[in-house]
Amino acid sequence: PEGGAGAAAAPALRILEALAASGLRAIRYARELPGVGEVVACDLEKRAVEHMRRNVQHNAEGPGGEAMARVTPVQSDARLVMLQNPKEFDVVDLDPYGTPSMFLDTAVQTVADGGLMCVTATDMAVLCGNSGEVSWTKYGSYALRGKYCHEMALRILLASVEQHAVRHRRYIVPVLSVSIDFYVRVFVRVFSSAQIMKETPSKLSYVWQCVNCDSFELQPVGRTMHKDRSVKYLPGSGPAVGAGGCEHCGGRFNMGGPVWNGPIHDAEWTQEILREAQENPEAFPAHKKIQSIMTMVCEELPDAPLFMDLHQMSATVKSTA
């Protein structure tokens, strides 16, 4: 907070890069972010940690090298480090090769209340519906193929993180969720509340996708009923589609999910990032790409899961777009 001598200084951030490899991102966290107290860079491979230490030493010799004292390389299983530090890290970064599924349960336990989890998944073939049964085994959600497959991949990952969090009486609030190049990356804040976690079923939905046309329906897993000051938590109602098939073309449905059905961004937070990138481009080496991504994010509808594709709809009804 701003203020004079009486203003309390914000505590220094503790960051865990759980799968650090050469330590490049951990070094950038220490050099480029203000307010960082310690960056724990963890990797299981001995050679990776040796490279990490050399890179830290190399960066310590140049300008801004004093920041390298905040980087702590650790050779260990990331899951063990996270289990040994419950609610100790303000930021946890998971960026594995492939799926992050085996790290999610321990990651949601090591984040401090209100802290940030940054999760990357590069197994896009699985998340986009090429292997729905593998998606189920890794994320507890069946992926469907469709024009919206990249958004569904984000919502499957968010649903998986939420389902791991509720096992520990915690819940997530998505801050930013993006699909870039060959991967998806989500940023979520983690909080503890035995009461709010009961709302999780109403934040998840099954997806009914017609196999002949682009139409789909969402069926929430649960629902809440508010009466006076009391809240009842009830199972979702259904079926979301009729037994006779799709009302538009008569086709049958495939069922996927459950997926996250709520907002996947924090509008205020994303607008602040966009404003920062526009006003201080020199602070962001890739500010043009950041501005384009954040502009797109800020223009998305907050309460409209998945989407229709105009050209596919035109092909279905045999008309020009």
Side-chain angles (χ1 to χ4, degrees), residues 19-317:
L19 306 147
S22 64
L24 170 63
R25 184 174 294 170
I27 290 170
R28 290 194 62 191
Y29 279 150
R31 290 179 65 96
E32 299 177 21
L33 292 182
V36 173
E38 182 185 18
V39 183
V40 177
C42 176
D43 204 284
L44 185 60
E45 292 290 334
K46 181 179 179 181
R47 288 183 61 192
V49 178
E50 290 172 354
H51 282 296
M52 209 183 301
R53 292 193 175 109
R54 280 201 298 271
N55 289 335
V56 169
Q57 184 178 0
H58 174 73
N59 278 269
E61 296 169 357
E66 65 279 358
M68 293 302 95
R70 297 194 284 270
V71 180
T72 306
V74 174
Q75 183 186 351
S76 178
D77 189 318
R79 292 167 293 186
L80 182 60
V81 172
M82 290 187 283
L83 279 175
Q84 292 174 333
N85 294 272
K87 297 185 179 180
E88 290 293 327
F89 290 101
D90 302 293
V91 181
V92 175
D93 195 329
L94 295 177
D95 191 356
Y97 293 103
T99 178
S101 59
M102 69 284 293
F103 302 103
L104 295 179
D105 195 72
T106 48
V108 296
Q109 298 179 64
T110 197
V111 185
D113 277 332
L116 190 69
M117 266 183 67
C118 317
V119 185
T120 303
T122 60
D123 55 336
M124 294 302 292
V126 171
L127 284 168
C128 288
N130 287 355
S131 303
E133 72 283 359
V134 180
S135 171
W136 176 262
T137 60
K138 290 183 177 180
Y139 299 98
S141 179
Y142 211 100
L144 298 176
R145 298 187 67 176
K147 288 289 184 180
Y148 51 63
C149 63
H150 291 94
E151 182 182 340
M152 189 172 191
L154 287 169
R155 293 184 178 277
I156 287 175
L157 182 55
L158 288 170
S160 183
V161 177
E162 171 76 354
Q163 290 180 81
H164 282 285
V166 296
R167 295 166 191 162
H168 306 282
R169 296 192 174 187
R170 313 194 84 185
Y171 67 97
I172 67 168
V173 176
V175 172
L176 176 66
S177 309
V178 289
S179 172
I180 304 174
D181 301 330
F182 58 91
Y183 63 91
V184 290
R185 185 159 170 85
V186 300
F187 301 80
V188 302
R189 297 184 70 188
V190 181
F191 299 91
S192 298
S193 173
Q195 182 66 27
I196 296 179
M197 74 169 207
K198 294 179 182 178
E199 299 176 5
T200 291
S202 63
K203 301 174 185 176
L204 307 178
S205 288
Y206 293 103
V207 181
W208 294 85
Q209 172 67 61
C210 176
V211 298
N212 290 339
C213 66
D214 261 0
S215 63
F216 61 87
E217 297 289 341
L218 296 178
Q219 180 176 329
V221 176
R223 56 195 171 97
T224 58
M225 180 181 293
H226 296 266
K227 186 176 182 180
D228 298 327
R229 295 186 179 182
S230 64
V231 181
K232 285 188 176 182
Y233 302 95
L234 305 170
S237 57
V241 296
C246 177
E247 62 176 321
H248 305 290
C249 68
R252 65 179 179 85
F253 286 90
N254 284 334
M255 188 178 77
V259 301
W260 180 266
N261 63 21
I264 60 176
H265 313 295
D266 183 316
E268 184 177 345
W269 198 86
T270 53
Q271 288 168 2
E272 179 64 25
I273 293 178
L274 178 59
R275 185 161 53 249
E276 280 282 330
Q278 291 171 336
E279 296 176 355
N280 304 294
E282 67 283 351
F284 301 89
H287 66 92
K288 289 185 178 179
K289 185 174 184 179
I290 292 173
Q291 287 186 44
S292 65
I293 292 174
M294 298 311 297
T295 299
M296 177 188 67
V297 166
C298 291
E299 291 176 349
E300 289 184 2
L301 297 175
D303 56 353
L306 308 181
F307 59 85
M308 302 284 192
D309 181 83
L310 178 61
H311 296 283
Q312 188 64 34
M313 291 173 63
S314 299
T316 299
V317 300

